[in-house]
Amino acid sequence: MDGAMAGLPQELQAVFDHAMTGICEMTPSGEFVRVNSYFCQLTGYTNEELRSMPVQEIVYPDDREADLAGLQRLRSGEIGSYSTEKRYLRKDGGVLWAEVNRSLVRDETGRAFIVGTVRDMTAQRKAEAEAKAAAAYNRSLIEASLDPLVTIGEDGQITDVNIAAEQATGFGRAELIGTKFSSYFTEPDQARASYERVFRRGSVRHYPLELRHRDGHTTPVLYNASVYHDASGHTLGVFAAARDVTEIRLAEAALRESQERLSALFDSAPVGIYDMAPSGRLTRVNPRFCQITGYTADELLSTPILDIVHPDDLEADRTSLRRLLAADMDSYRMEKRYLRKGGGSVWAEVNHALVRGDNGESLLIVAAVRDITAQREAEAEVRALNAELGIRVEQRTADLERANKNLEAFTYSVSHDLRSPLRALSGFSEALVEEYGERLDETGRGYAGRIEAASARMAALIDDLLLLSRVSRTDMNARPVDLSAEVGDVVEELRLREPDRRLRVTIENGVWVLADRTLIRSVVQNLVENAWKFTARRDDACIEFGTAASDDEGVCCFVRDNGAGFDPAYAGQLFQPFQRLHSAAEFPGTGIGLASVQRIIERHGGRVWAEGTVNQGATFYFTVEGATPATGALVAGTCEEHQNDELDDDQDQRNG
């Protein structure tokens, strides 16, 4: 048999062939000379296949360069043997990890051979890779934790930390490892006691400590820690995790503050408040509720609430409570009476609300109680006063009806009984002048004329009084009225009476209002006739009708003249009956017309006022609801001015 192992004893040959380690013999140039069966089993090739290929052909490509370098060192005599780990390519395409030991040997003739042993490490390498992956996975979990994590040895020194621990302390991993765990806390003795307890008991839960950062600020934490062991169960150290409880502490402080505020509000609230269990027992009451009922807090807490509800209100209250607990409603309000301690009752407005747990179960009922006894008594008093007022109104209505009947009788008397003697006076004065005029001297005829004039003034006064009376009593029939046309008609009537008057009249077109036509015609007739009368002594007389802006709702109309005017100090007297700012000798009249104007405008929901200056004219304003000519619909209160065509002097002459 060729090779260094040729001629081996039979026992050694059997060991070579049946060894559980791959054995191969190769030439220094890297060709197989002989391989055992286990090496064939490891690579998947037969003995003949291996002996027909160079060694490098089954070496993993990434390991070939290092393999050739090792062989070269053996061939050169630099080394006599070496050991390495490398990969072989199996015939089936798999990869074999192996520990390879190679030695250079020579036979009796001096020829050199390389003998190698191959131990399968594939399973070991796989286990190591899995262990490495598991370690990397565990480390990634540790590093991914937002909580600081540390391991502590039995001597109290830190053996490992995660990134969160570095951030929490301000020190790097290398600075922390090997230092005392307790030195990073505001109370080192308490920190040392914590891990010593873990070594004694095996673990601690929610151990409070205060971690100090490198820059000096501190963080409250709760530590959870337990011991960890090796495979044999020997304790290696403590694994500790810290949870930053700053937000929890802040939330707890906020909760305490909120509870304190709620408690202060509960105790000092101006209304009664109580908490009631679903069973009907009170669990908490405030001082105001004690004041309302007259009971002490201890007495109320030992008494079912329904025991102090007035019997007449008990059934309604019990029914509402049942519906509340049955989830038919979340809250309800009712007015009911409580029985006060010592007798009597108190009226209260009570709002009930149900508080539920996370699972929807009924936890408690909260009620707010407002004492409305005084309100109820006031309401009863108001009802009594209203009843009394109703009787008085009926009496006053009856009195008013009697007064109206008397006024109607007076009006009838004025209209008929007073007119007859006036007509007689006027008739006899006319007859006296006609039949005995020649016998009367100038003075006598003057007296007769004055009787005639006085009778006429008295008749006019009677007419104006009757008009003023009718203004307050007549029914109104509001409809769209073209006020511009009404003013024009009044002016035409005046021109027909006095065709020789020369004056200019300006009338704004398209002023429509919603009013009683008869009454509103009386308004413009009074105002235009006044303007006509008080401009009689001016050669350049002018009268203007139009609209103006006003804060009042509706349309603001005015009648303006440049006549005698009036002293503004007496403007308030203009609309009072019989109040005149000019004598009858200057300007005739009864003093009733403007009073009628005011009453008519007020009946239409508007107002009337005047502006004037002595010898510079006057302007009378009034407001009334606006309308459109087509439908009578209401229009905006702000008026726009429109310049109307003026009636010039020639037109005045034609109208005359």
Side-chain angles (χ1 to χ4, degrees), residues 20 184 213 354 374 437 445 469-470 489 539 568 619:
M20 295 305 293
Y184 298 97
H213 193 272
L354 180 63
R445 285 193 296 273
S469 173
R470 285 196 299 272
D489 289 346
D539 295 332
T619 304

Side-chain angles (χ1 to χ4, degrees), residues 251-295:
E252 290 174 346
L255 179 60
R256 284 195 300 273
E257 182 180 357
S258 176
Q259 289 174 337
E260 290 171 359
R261 288 181 178 179
L262 181 61
S263 179
L265 175 63
F266 185 88
D267 292 337
S268 61
V271 297
I273 304 174
Y274 63 78
D275 294 344
M276 182 177 68
S279 63
R281 288 282 178 179
L282 297 179
T283 59
R284 187 167 65 153
V285 296
N286 75 340
R288 178 59 182 147
F289 187 65
C290 295
Q291 293 172 3
I292 291 173
T293 60
Y295 292 93

Side-chain angles (χ1 to χ4, degrees), residues 63-251:
D63 299 337
R64 286 173 184 173
E65 184 176 349
D67 194 48
L68 287 172
L71 290 173
Q72 178 60 33
R73 294 179 68 195
L74 281 176
R75 286 195 297 266
S76 66
E78 180 181 348
I79 56 175
S81 64
Y82 72 92
S83 178
T84 186
E85 292 183 4
K86 66 176 184 179
R87 288 163 290 183
Y88 286 106
L89 291 172
R90 286 178 49 83
K91 183 178 180 179
D92 60 8
V95 176
L96 169 71
W97 270 103
E99 179 184 35
V100 179
N101 293 284
R102 284 176 175 165
S103 301
L104 182 67
V105 297
R106 296 181 183 276
D107 61 10
E108 64 275 6
T109 64
R111 285 189 304 167
F113 291 91
I114 296 174
V115 177
T117 60
V118 180
R119 184 169 68 88
D120 185 1
M121 295 182 62
T122 303
Q124 178 182 336
R125 277 299 186 110
K126 182 179 180 182
E128 290 174 351
E130 291 176 349
K132 186 176 181 181
Y137 176 74
N138 291 337
R139 189 70 197 182
S140 67
L141 288 179
I142 292 172
E143 295 297 352
S145 172
L146 299 177
D147 295 332
L149 304 177
V150 298
T151 56
I152 309 165
E154 292 183 340
D155 57 359
Q157 292 187 346
I158 297 173
T159 57
D160 198 5
V161 297
N162 69 345
I163 294 175
E166 296 180 57
Q167 295 171 342
T169 62
F171 294 95
R173 185 170 183 270
E175 295 176 287
L176 291 168
I177 292 176
T179 60
K180 289 290 185 180
F181 171 78
S182 59
S183 63
Y184 298 97
F185 296 90
T186 57
E187 298 183 42
D189 292 342
Q190 186 177 352
R192 183 168 52 255
S194 70
Y195 69 74
E196 289 175 350
R197 181 185 299 181
V198 178
F199 279 116
R200 290 195 308 270
R201 300 183 180 179
S203 65
V204 295
R205 299 279 295 171
H206 305 308
Y207 196 92
L209 292 172
E210 194 162 304
L211 187 63
R212 181 172 48 233
H213 193 272
R214 187 173 202 159
D215 63 11
H217 83 267
T218 59
T219 304
V221 296
L222 290 177
Y223 256 102
N224 293 312
S226 61
V227 295
Y228 64 96
H229 310 86
D230 60 13
S232 63
H234 175 71
T235 299
L236 296 178
V238 169
F239 184 83
R243 172 60 54 86
D244 182 352
V245 293
T246 302
E247 294 297 328
I248 296 175
R249 294 284 175 84
L250 291 174

Side-chain angles (χ1 to χ4, degrees), residues 278 324-327 329-331 352-356 360-366:
L324 189 66
L325 293 171
M329 53 187 178
D330 294 325
S331 63
H352 304 77
L354 180 63
V355 179
R356 300 184 184 278
E361 71 277 15
S362 300
L363 297 181
L364 60 90
I365 296 169
V366 179

Side-chain angles (χ1 to χ4, degrees), residues 386-402:
N386 284 338
E388 182 181 351
L389 180 61
I391 295 172
R392 290 184 179 181
V393 168
E394 290 178 359
Q395 292 174 345
R396 295 293 173 85
T397 302
D399 292 342
L400 182 60
E401 288 178 354
R402 284 192 296 272

Side-chain angles (χ1 to χ4, degrees), residues 420-489:
S420 295
L422 281 177
R423 283 195 295 269
L425 282 173
S426 179
F428 281 120
S429 64
E430 288 180 6
L432 181 62
V433 172
E434 288 178 3
E435 297 181 12
Y436 301 96
E438 295 179 358
R439 301 180 187 181
L440 296 175
D441 58 11
E442 190 66 29
T443 301
R445 285 193 296 273
Y447 287 159
R450 291 172 69 180
I451 293 172
E452 179 68 25
S455 299
R457 285 197 302 273
M458 187 63 182
L461 180 59
I462 291 171
D463 290 339
D464 288 346
L465 285 172
L466 291 174
L467 173 62
L468 185 61
S469 173
R470 285 196 299 272
V471 164
S472 302
R473 294 182 293 108
T474 186
D475 293 334
M476 286 180 52
N477 179 23
R479 59 189 179 88
V481 177
D482 184 353
L483 212 53
S484 300
E486 298 297 330
V487 173
D489 289 346

Side-chain angles (χ1 to χ4, degrees), residues 471-472 474-481 483 513-524 553-555 596-608 622-626 634:
V471 164
S472 302
T474 186
D475 293 334
M476 286 180 52
N477 179 23
R479 59 189 179 88
V481 177
L483 212 53
V513 297
L514 191 66
D516 182 285
R517 184 174 182 275
T518 301
L519 294 178
I520 204 68
R521 170 63 178 257
S522 177
V523 169
V524 297
E553 294 184 359
V555 178
S596 298
V597 167
Q598 185 180 50
R599 293 194 183 182
I600 292 171
I601 294 302
E602 288 177 349
R603 288 202 65 191
H604 283 79
R607 67 187 184 99
V608 61
F622 63 91
T623 59
V624 66
E625 198 168 357
L634 300 186

